[in-house]
Each structure stands twice: as C-alpha cells, then as structure tokens.
Amino acid sequence: MTSDYIVQLKHVSKTFSGIKALDDVSLDIKRGEVHALVGENGAGKSTLIKVLSGVHFPDDGAEIYINNEKVIIRNPMDAIRKGISVIYQDISLFPNLTVAENICIGNDEVWKRKLNWSQIQQLAECAIAKVGAAIDPYMMLKDLNLASQQIVAIARAISFNASLIIMDEPTSTLSSGEVENLYQIIDNLRKNNIAVLFISHKFDEIYHVATRVTILRDGKFIAAHDIQDVDRPELIRLMVGRDVEYISMNAEKIWDEEVLKVNHLSKKGNFRDISFTLRKGEIIGITGLVGSGRSELAKAIFGLNKPDSGEIILNGSAVTIASSNDAVQYGIGYVPENRQLEGLIGKSSVCQNITLSILNSLCNSYKCVDVTKERQLAQEYIEKLDVRPTELDKLVGQLSGGNQQKVVLAKWLVTNPKILIMDEPTSGVDIGAKIEIHKVLRQLANNGIGVIVISSELPEILAVSDKILIMRQGSIVSVIDKNLATQEAILAKALGA
Amino acid sequence: MIGIKRSHELILLLFFSGLIIIMSLLSPSFLTIDNLLSVTQQMSEFGILALGVTVIIITSGIDLSVGSIAGLTTIVIAMSYGWSGSLVAAILLGILAGALCGAFNGVLIAKIGVPPILVTLGTMTFFNGIALVLSKGNAISDLPEEFYFVGQGYLFGNVPVQTLIFLVLAILTSLLLSKTPWGRRVYAVGNNSVAAVFSGVQVDKVLLYVYIFAGIMSAISGWIISSRVSTARADLGAVYVMQSIAATVLGGTNIAGGSGTIFGTVIGVSVFAVLANGLNLIGVSPFAQNLLMGLALIVVLLINNVSIIKRKIAIFIKLNFN
Ligand SMILES: Nc1ncnc2c1ncn2[C@@H]1O[C@H](COP(=O)(O)OP(=O)(O)OP(=O)(O)O)[C@@H](O)[C@H]1O
Ligand SMILES: [Mg+2]
C-alpha cells in the first residue's frame, strides 16, 4: 500500500564542487514510524537531511514525494509548511524571545487568524502539552537548558503540524535522564502519528527507539530494514563494510613521573575538592552524568575556568594557569566538547585549523609563517589520523562531523602536548573512527603523554582508560582500576546508588 | 604575492575594468597617465584609512572613530610643531597620538568587552572633542613649507608621494595579514573567537593590536590630509569614515568578519576613486555622482551574492516550466 509513506526520496544525488556527497540515494519513511539513518562519518546523512529540509537543492533527477505527491522543496520554511521540521543539533531558535514566541514565530495561523498574545500562549501551551512536557511558555529561551530548548524546538515543529520530525544526533548534548525523557517524547510523537527520522552513531539508542533503519555508505544507499531484522554486528557490517568492535588496550608502560597533580581543587557551583594524579603514559577516564562537573574541571586545568582554591602541579611545581595560552605554553592540549563552537574555525581550511596553536613556532627568520613547513606538518597529521578527504585546503566546516573531530585532535597533536585532555572525544564519531581514535590515544600515551578522557559512554571509558574517576555533583566519588571496573559498577557510582 | 583567491575579487576586477573602459570611452582625458596618477592621489587618503578598517572588519569589529583620529592627529602635529619647532618630532607625536587613540578603543573592546560599534561611536565624538578643545575649534595653518611634501609633492617625475605611501602601506598590511601569525589570528578571531580562545590564541591581545594598527593608519592618513590642504583642523577626515567602510565591503570583506583581503579593499577604493574622477570629467553633477556611486555599491554587492540569486532563479524555473 503506497499511501503508507509520508515521505519518499528517489534518485537523490548531491554534488559539491565535483564531489558526490550523495549518489542516487532513496529513503522511504512510513507514517508514524521512527526511522534511524545510519552510516559512517561523511556517508552523507546530514546532507540527505539538508536536501529533505530545503537547505540544499539536489542535483537534477531527484524526486521527492510527500504524501505520494511529487514536490519541490524550495527552502527550509517551505519544508516546514509541507510538514517536515528539523531539530538541529545547535537548536537554532531565538534566545531572546520567550518560549511561546519561539514556538509561534513564522506560523501562518498567527497572522491569518490575527491571534492575540493570550491565544499565542495557548497555542504554545497546547504544543508543549502534546510533546508531553511542562515548560513555562513565558520563559526566555536562553534561560532554559539545552534539553528543554530541544523540547521547545519539537513543540514548534508540532505547532506547524509536522508529519515528519528530523533529528540530527539529538542525544549528543543530553544527560542520560534527559535522553530517557526524549525517548518518551519520541514515543508520544509516534502515538500522534508523527514520523521521526533520526541520525545517530549510538547503537543502544538506535535499537531502543527505531522501528526501521536506512544505511548509507560513501554517499550511496546500502539497505533499509526493519530494525528487528538486523542485529548489531550485521548493522555495523552494513555501515562500515567489515567487522569492528571495541578493543581494550593496556598501557605498555606507565612512568613514575607525575605530569599533572591536582590538589583539593574547588570552584563554587562547579566542582569540589578534586584531587588526582596523572602519570606519564597513563590514560585517566573521567565519567559521570552530564552536569557532574567534568567539563568545568577540564576547563579549569586548561585555564578557562579560574578555580577558587586548590593547586595544580605540573612536573612537580605548582603553577597558575590563567589563560588558555598559559595552558598551551605548559604543554596542555584540550579537545573541547562542542567542536563546532569551541573546537574549529569553520570557514578556515583544514591546514590552518591544525596549525593555529603553533603559528609562532612555524615562523621563518622574517617572522612569517613558513607555509611549506606548515603544510608538511598538517599533511603528516591528517594522514596519521586518516582525515577524509585528505585535502589540506578544504574548509573545515565542510567536513563531516567525525572528520572535523580528527582535525581538532590533529590541532593538539602538532603542539606535542605533555598532557592532553579530551572532552567527549568521539561524540558524533562513527564506530570505525572511534576505534581509530582510541588507538591513537593509546599510542600517544605509550609515547609518554598523560591523557585525560572525559566521556559519558561507558564502553569507551572501559576500553581506553587505565584508571577511572567517577564524578557526581562536582566531587570524585570513586576511583576504580580499569581491571576491576564494570559498566554496572560505574553507573551505580555515577548515579549515587 | 597577493593572489586572487576568491571569485568575488575576480568579479570586482571585471567590474573595475569595465568601469575604466567606459570612462575612457566617455572622456578622452580619462585614460592619461597624469589623470590616472591624480586618481591615485585622490584615493590614497581614504585608502589608508580603509586599510585599518579592513583589518578591523575582518575581526568582525567596526571602527567609526578613524576619521576623528585622523582629525585629532592633524591638530597634534600642528600644535606640537608650534611648541617644539621640530617637524619630525611633531609627526612622530601625531602618529603616537593615533596609536594611543587606537589603544584606547582596543582596551575598551578587547579587555572590557564593550561592542566595537558602541565604543567607537563614543570615541568618534570623544576624539573629535579632544581635537576641538586643543585647537579651540580653530584651523591651524602655520605649518612649514617642508610639511607640504607628503600631500603635495611628487617623486620619480610625477608620481604623487601619497600614492607611494599608500602603495607601501597596502603591501605591508597585506603581508601582515597573509603571512604573519598575527594575520592568521586576525582571521581566526573574526571567524570564531570562542574557538580561537580554546586554541590558546590571546584574543584580547590580537584585538588590541588590531585597533592600534587602525589608529596608526588613521594618523598617517590625517598627516597626509593636513599636508595636502596645508591646514590642521579637527574635522579633517570625518568625510572618509563611511566611505572607507563602504570601500572595504565593496572589496569583498565580510561585514560579519572572518574573510577579506587588502587586494580587494584596494580595488574597492579604486572603484570609488575612478567613479568620482570619471564622473567629474564627464561633467556629471555632484548630486548625481552620489546616486551613481551608491548604485555601483549595490550592484556589486548583488553580484557578490549571485549564487543565491541563481538558486532562486533555478527553483523558479523548475516550479513554473517543468
Ligand atoms: N557544504 C559542503 N560543501 C562541500 N562538501 C560538503 C558540504 N557539506 C558536506 N560535504 C561533504 O559531503 C560528504 C557528506 O557529508 P555529511 O555531513 O552529509 O556526512 P554525515 O554522514 O552527516 O557524517 P557525520 O556522521 O560525520 O556527521 C562529506 O564528504 C563532506 O565533506
Ligand atoms: Mg552529520
């Protein structure tokens, strides 16, 4: 029965300056289903979504059907009017407007029926109720946390009578409680016969919420299945084209030398009485719920969050790290959590991003950047980390999420850090690339770097760390040796059970 | 060395060539060496201002005070010449004053974090006020003969001195932006200042130097202006503020920051100068001149966004003819 389909894409191709990001892809979404779109970094998932939501215009020959009717999607607003809404990762709402205004802005109903303010509030409340959440429509959007902002975005989609809501990696910024909440919301949407298309690199999530899955690889359609018909290894094989799984790697050698010692470090409202030591060659994993103070601690060590008390000792002497520049001088590298906002200069090239932190050391005798040397160095690292495509001059903003992350990593590796702090190093990174990044981390440690990995993903923490610190509400509640740790034990400690 | 990297610059270059062809067809006296050299003379003063403005706009800032700094510089030079009798000392003091003004802007913007448009809106009036107080609102014209050299003199036969100064400064700025670590950081800050901080870039320091640089450029421009008109006056330079911003944007510098080149700005400045000169030669009234210059700016900016327009047209055709 064809009328089952709410959206059908056929023969969609998209070429960016000669390179095919999508090659004859098709995608069918049934009414009211939860459809997962999976594939490696750069497979074309985001591009496909952008075509469907009117951000990109597809190459000739593409056919898009909505409710079995052939349509052309002119721009994002047009897509919204046709019932397709996207919840972007960076939310893209208006921070200085109220929740109600955010939900109703751009809604034709408001103009046609000349709604007054109280009717607008009602419309908003109604949409929020449909989501199954409770948010005060009078609040300013900027006063809400990211999870609530996401809910507002979903409510907005509902108020536009969306029949398909698209979410691009929706859980990457959520805590585990918030993720549960989102599952609930997705369930509600399905009951209201609204289809959800979501992109995710997390298999637990895919198997938890999706009813069907479409797999892309290298811009091509590989397969579409009901979720119960593919098991996890099979799904990975379809995505990557081979078998992969997490490998736990042990340290070759941990030196006695303490590269970093943190003593009773506190900052009001962030973290309390934190003490630990990081030795040369060691990888410490820090885990805990989002909001447990992990990133704030990392930023304090990197000079971007001044602690109230306590000391940081590098190679035996207490130091004050007052700025990120100080941190870099001391040999500390920091891969931040939010790579779009904090990690990358999007409109600048891969090469220039990689060398941004070490420009002074690349200077020739005229105090100018030695471009040959710069490019050689950058080339060496993009090969080492297998950044694809291997084009030094490509704008970083045009790389897929996972490859962007590798560029951030490369930026710090070229500084030859003694200490490398990585906040969610593999968020938005596909399974194959994750394992590669894990390998690189272990290699770095074996070469004598002290590494701190912050991650919410327990299998990752277990695979990479030598020692695991568990944080809850700003304090370290437990330190577990890797060999004694299990996921259950860590989770119990993190939750405070 | 400078390199035409962006298609916008190519389009602008074509537009500029077209302009030159049209002007030389309309007026036989346009395409003569003497006239072209006088065009470069006319563009140097605001061209030098635009160099500073370009660097600032690349950092996603703006500077409305450059004209006032130029005006203040003229007063400082004239008055300190009056006290000291040394022209060299006076000019150095004038440039120092420009640098200090820039530093004042820079500290408020970089260290305290006030938005550039607010800071420089304030200092535009403030610096002008200092100049007025110092000069009691008068024009000062007792300047020595030697002082007129940079604004009225010629080198290598009939090449105006200020043309050469502009050329040297443009090349210097271009090298600073494209070759030095500082230049790289300027672009990085303009693109994403948060990521720059997270990469260990001292954003406040970069910005401070950017505004000092613009202050020095304004001072040099003021020095040349007062030399050309043989006078120091607080309001010299004021007319060039909006024009230098317009030329910078015309030259392809993104008003939101992150991209732009000195090469583009030089062409942007040239377009304005050629238009003004050519329209004068043809005998177009000054009123209509403004109209045409504004129109040119709009046309080029439209061409710059041609990809968006093309897309709109493509969709329109698809919808209506398929
Ligand atoms: N605006 C653009 N210009 C040029 N190339 C682009 C652009 N956007 C995407 N690409 C290229 O298209 C390909 C697909 O990218 P896309 O972002 O769709 O991948 P993805 O599947 O979403 O990956 P990830 O899981 O890492 O987010 C990549 O090779 C990317 O470099
Ligand atoms: Mg993506």
Side-chain angles (χ1 to χ4, degrees):
Chain A
M1 204 173 89
T2 47
S3 60
D4 244 333
Y5 292 110
I6 165 81
V7 168
Q8 283 181 292
L9 300 182
K10 288 179 184 161
H11 310 300
V12 173
S13 299
K14 174 74 195 173
T15 315
F16 290 111
S17 45
I19 295 162
K20 277 210 151 141
L22 294 175
D23 186 2
D24 196 16
V25 171
S26 42
L27 174 69
D28 300 325
I29 299 168
K30 292 179 191 161
R31 192 174 300 283
E33 76 173 352
V34 180
H35 197 119
L37 185 59
V38 302
E40 285 183 287
N41 296 129
K45 304 178 297 290
S46 299
T47 307
L48 186 63
I49 282 188
K50 284 179 183 158
V51 167
L52 183 53
S53 61
V55 175
H56 288 323
F57 207 63
D59 298 348
D60 285 342
E63 295 168 24
I64 301 176
Y65 298 87
I66 296 180
N67 292 320
N68 299 314
E69 201 179 305
K70 191 169 174 187
V71 296
I72 284 172
I73 298 171
R74 273 172 280 188
N75 52 47
M77 204 59 222
D78 193 31
I80 291 175
R81 296 217 169 89
K82 292 187 160 82
I84 298 173
S85 283
V86 185
I87 316 296
Y88 290 102
Q89 221 173 51
D90 53 1
I91 313 289
S92 49
L93 293 172
F94 306 92
N96 287 315
L97 296 183
T98 65
V99 170
E101 285 162 342
N102 265 290
I103 291 176
C104 298
I105 197 165
N107 193 329
D108 298 336
E109 289 293 294
V110 175
W111 299 109
K112 263 189 237 151
R113 292 165 41 198
K114 297 205 169 53
L115 297 186
N116 61 27
W117 282 111
S118 69
Q119 285 166 312
I120 287 177
Q121 304 289 357
Q122 265 173 21
L123 196 72
E125 266 168 21
C126 179
I128 296 171
K130 258 196 205 154
V131 179
I135 294 173
D136 179 3
Y138 290 92
M139 287 225 341
M140 281 293 198
L141 188 89
K142 63 175 177 211
D143 296 333
L144 300 177
N145 65 19
L146 272 173
S148 308
Q149 293 189 15
Q150 200 175 48
I151 291 171
V152 173
I154 296 172
R156 174 177 156 80
I158 287 181
S159 82
F160 278 91
N161 288 319
S163 46
L164 172 64
I165 296 182
I166 303 175
M167 304 182 186
D168 196 349
E169 302 190 32
T171 59
S172 57
T173 47
L174 301 185
S175 70
S176 56
E178 291 164 345
V179 171
E180 283 301 325
N181 199 10
L182 183 69
Y183 290 164
Q184 196 62 49
I185 288 168
I186 291 180
D187 221 41
N188 267 338
L189 294 176
R190 196 171 53 189
K191 281 183 196 137
N192 284 312
N193 226 0
I194 297 171
V196 174
L197 173 66
F198 78 100
I199 294 183
S200 177
H201 288 289
K202 297 178 187 159
F203 293 98
D204 288 340
E205 194 170 297
I206 293 163
Y207 281 98
H208 195 291
V209 293
T211 49
R212 273 199 332 138
V213 58
T214 291
I215 301 120
L216 300 183
R217 193 197 310 154
D218 296 331
K220 296 192 186 69
F221 172 85
I222 298 296
H225 287 293
D226 286 340
I227 197 79
Q228 64 266 21
D229 297 341
V230 271
D231 60 4
R232 206 165 164 136
E234 173 67 14
L235 188 59
I236 294 176
R237 214 168 309 134
L238 288 170
M239 278 173 56
V240 189
R242 63 192 149 83
D243 288 310
V244 269
E245 60 185 16
Y246 278 180
I247 316 158
S248 174
M249 285 162 289
N250 287 317
E252 263 169 26
K253 171 177 180 190
I254 296 178
W255 285 258
D256 285 332
E257 201 179 320
E258 294 174 350
V259 284
L260 169 72
K261 194 173 164 76
V262 174
N263 266 342
H264 306 294
L265 207 64
S266 293
K267 162 126 189 171
K268 205 163 179 283
N270 282 185
F271 47 81
R272 228 176 18 252
D273 198 21
I274 302 287
S275 302
F276 66 89
T277 37
L278 173 68
R279 286 182 298 162
K280 192 172 169 179
E282 184 178 39
I283 302 183
I284 291 185
I286 303 184
T287 188
L289 304 180
V290 171
S292 58
R294 302 169 307 174
S295 300
E296 287 75 10
L297 174 63
K299 282 181 188 151
I301 299 171
F302 192 64
L304 291 176
N305 184 15
K306 197 172 174 297
D308 299 331
S309 61
E311 51 180 7
I312 296 173
I313 298 167
L314 295 177
N315 292 314
S317 44
V319 295
T320 324
I321 305 173
S323 70
S324 55
N325 187 258
D326 284 357
V328 175
Q329 303 305 327
Y330 283 125
I332 305 176
Y334 177 52
V335 176
E337 197 174 1
N338 185 334
R339 64 174 159 265
Q340 311 274 355
L341 197 70
E342 302 166 340
L344 293 168
I345 312 289
K347 281 190 283 176
S348 155
S349 70
V350 168
C351 177
Q352 298 203 350
N353 266 280
I354 291 178
T355 55
L356 182 59
S357 302
I358 51 155
L359 288 170
N360 285 342
S361 66
L362 287 174
C363 281
N364 56 22
S365 46
Y366 303 108
K367 293 260 175 233
C368 291
V369 179
D370 182 339
V371 182
T372 332
K373 201 161 132 195
E374 177 189 25
R375 295 180 71 87
Q376 266 170 10
L377 190 71
Q379 184 73 36
E380 182 188 329
Y381 278 87
I382 68 173
E383 278 166 18
K384 211 180 254 181
L385 295 178
D386 191 24
V387 176
R388 273 177 276 176
T390 25
E391 271 173 64
L392 284 179
D393 296 315
K394 186 137 181 141
L395 297 188
V396 154
Q398 296 176 350
L399 293 183
S400 74
N403 284 302
Q404 289 182 350
Q405 188 69 338
K406 291 185 192 169
V407 173
V408 184
L409 192 52
K411 174 172 78 184
W412 289 113
L413 296 190
V414 296
T415 66
N416 269 326
K418 295 193 197 70
I419 301 166
L420 187 62
I421 307 171
M422 320 236 313
D423 202 346
E424 301 290 354
T426 63
S427 115
V429 173
D430 71 56
I431 175 101
K434 262 183 192 174
I435 290 162
E436 276 171 51
I437 289 181
H438 293 169
K439 277 189 198 149
V440 172
L441 287 182
R442 183 48 76 190
Q443 213 174 27
L444 293 173
N446 286 341
N447 291 339
I449 297 179
V451 180
I452 297 176
V453 174
I454 298 173
S455 175
S456 307
E457 201 197 323
L458 296 181
E460 168 165 283
I461 284 285
L462 285 168
V464 299
S465 336
D466 299 311
K467 185 164 89 187
I468 300 165
L469 309 184
I470 303 166
M471 284 183 75
R472 175 159 45 89
Q473 292 169 2
S475 305
I476 294 178
V477 290
S478 179
V479 181
I480 311 184
D481 189 80
K482 164 210 200 113
N483 300 317
L484 307 173
T486 62
Q487 280 200 46
E488 293 70 30
I490 295 175
L491 199 60
K493 287 269 177 5
L495 290 167
Chain B
M1 174 200 71
I2 300 168
I4 305 167
K5 288 193 204 97
R6 301 176 51 233
S7 62
H8 172 80
E9 285 169 3
L10 207 66
I11 293 169
L12 191 65
L13 211 53
L14 285 176
F15 180 85
F16 181 57
S17 321
L19 199 64
I20 292 202
I21 294 170
I22 294 172
M23 288 302 176
S24 39
L25 290 178
L26 289 177
S27 160
S29 50
F30 176 78
L31 205 61
T32 57
I33 299 227
D34 275 348
N35 184 54
L36 291 183
L37 282 173
S38 90
V39 171
T40 64
Q41 182 171 29
Q42 289 154 18
M43 70 191 243
S44 296
E45 292 162 3
F46 99 88
I48 293 171
L49 277 187
L51 296 178
V53 168
T54 304
V55 177
I56 285 179
I57 293 184
I58 291 175
T59 65
S60 81
I62 191 95
D63 193 342
L64 302 174
S65 71
V66 285
S68 301
I69 297 178
L72 176 57
T73 305
T74 69
I75 300 294
V76 171
I77 291 176
M79 294 186 72
S80 42
Y81 175 72
W83 296 324
S84 68
S86 157
L87 197 54
V88 176
I91 290 167
L92 286 178
L93 269 175
I95 290 174
L96 180 69
L100 285 176
C101 288
F104 186 76
N105 282 336
V107 167
L108 291 181
I109 291 164
K111 302 279 178 190
I112 303 180
V114 188
I117 190 157
L118 298 184
V119 168
T120 58
L121 197 60
T123 56
M124 174 174 76
T125 312
F126 178 61
F127 296 150
N128 181 248
I130 297 178
L132 286 171
V133 168
L134 285 178
S135 64
K136 302 193 180 64
N138 296 323
I140 308 172
S141 8
D142 35 356
L143 288 155
E145 195 72 19
E146 309 92 82
F147 182 67
Y148 304 151
F149 177 66
V150 294
Q152 301 173 23
Y154 296 89
L155 279 172
F156 312 117
N158 49 3
V159 181
V161 175
Q162 68 243 62
T163 300
L164 294 171
I165 297 179
F166 175 46
L167 206 67
V168 169
L169 290 178
I171 291 174
L172 210 72
T173 313
S174 179
L175 289 176
L176 273 175
L177 274 181
S178 61
K179 302 281 177 202
T180 66
W182 178 73
R184 291 288 188 82
R185 293 187 189 117
V186 165
Y187 285 99
V189 168
N191 255 319
N192 184 347
S193 62
V194 178
V197 170
F198 275 83
S199 305
V201 173
Q202 291 167 293
V203 172
D204 47 355
K205 224 163 130 186
V206 172
L207 285 178
L208 182 62
Y209 284 131
V210 162
Y211 283 88
I212 292 177
F213 177 82
I216 292 174
M217 289 298 138
S218 311
I220 294 175
S221 179
W223 166 30
I224 296 173
I225 300 172
S226 68
S227 163
R228 175 174 56 85
V229 300
S230 318
T231 308
R233 219 173 58 213
D235 65 345
L236 291 176
V239 290
Y240 290 140
V241 179
M242 286 303 153
Q243 213 176 351
S244 62
I245 296 173
T248 302
V249 181
L250 183 69
T253 299
N254 185 347
I255 193 76
S259 64
T261 59
I262 292 301
F263 181 73
T265 296
V266 169
I267 307 216
V269 168
S270 313
V271 166
F272 272 97
V274 164
L275 264 174
N277 172 277
L279 295 174
N280 251 333
L281 288 181
I282 303 165
V284 175
S285 87
F287 309 122
Q289 279 185 24
N290 255 358
L291 189 151
L292 288 172
M293 300 224 298
L295 204 61
L297 183 65
I298 293 169
V299 167
V300 173
L301 292 180
L302 276 182
I303 298 175
N304 192 17
N305 289 312
V306 77
S307 61
I308 300 173
I309 298 168
K310 253 167 56 187
R311 186 184 130 137
K312 292 224 157 109
I313 294 174
I315 293 173
F316 180 81
I317 292 174
K318 271 210 169 126
L319 282 177
N320 292 288
F321 302 101
N322 278 10

